Amino acid sequence: MRKTLVAGNWKMHGSRQQTAELIGGLAEALGDDPANEVAVCPPFVYLLDAARAVEGTPIRLGAQNLAVEESGAYTGEVAGSMLRDVGCYYVIVGHSERRSLYGETDELVAEKYRAAQRDGLVPILCVGESLEERESGVTSEVVERQLRAVLTAAGIDSFAAAVVAYEPVWAIGTGRTASPEQAQEVHALIRGILASESATIANSIRILYGGSVKASNAGDLFSMPDVDGGLVGGASLEAEGFAEICRAGG
Ligand code: PGA
């Protein structure tokens, strides 16, 4: 049985005060033993505050990005070991904003995925097609290419300690959510690709949906057979609403 995971991707939002308020409010709304697993991914500079705020709560901490390198002269970069050191469990890799705005290629994303695991973090690997790609009917090819880049670099066994997030780019921050059926179709494709290499791993891996998830649609999305939770952007910035999403499908 896969445990539903809901992860909040704060992106470049927040402040020290909001970090404390948001996590405090979320912890209170969730209680000690939520049915689903919950994680928050604040910006780097707030991770330490966030780590203190999640202490003694069931909320896990994640980061939004990491360096490929282990340490050294890489000005402005943050190593996975540092993220571990401040209490991170997860790290998002290959988010479409990193791919499209910061030029992260499939190969670089695969390197970051490997770096995350090397440094003891669980990568949340994001894949997903653009609107143009969906409209030209190449969604499966794009998602498969993105997934295979990581499979080739890291191998199927690595997916025993990873999470995949399907995030159609056209649904991110647009208010335009994929329908539960559209999500299910791609989630099944992802699980099928993994199953062709290991049925056991494909069966146990969580595949999250991301893209305009909100309290009003989370239940329908998470009830699809291959949707094991969500990666939530905008709606993770408000404690009560996010807590409601965290309770969906639990
Ligand atoms: P959104 O973002 O929920 O604001 O659409 C999701 C994401 O980018 O992870």
Side-chain angles (χ1 to χ4, degrees), residues 7-11 13 92 95-97 126 165 167-177 209-214 230-237:
N9 172 13
W10 293 8
K11 309 194 180 183
H13 292 291
I92 299 170
H95 190 281
S96 69
E97 285 151 19
C126 301
E167 297 208 308
V169 179
W170 48 271
I172 295 177
T174 58
R176 192 178 155 192
T177 319
Y209 167 79
S212 299
V213 174
K214 29 188 187 279
L231 183 55
V232 185
S236 71
L237 296 169

Side-chain angles (χ1 to χ4, degrees), residues 19-34 38 40 53-59 238-244 246-247:
T19 299
E21 285 171 4
L22 191 44
I23 294 176
L26 182 61
E28 199 176 307
L30 289 174
D32 287 341
D33 189 23
V38 176
V40 292
V54 300
E55 231 173 84
T57 81
I59 304 166
E238 195 274 308
E240 268 303 326
F242 184 56
E244 213 178 308
C246 294
R247 283 190 286 266

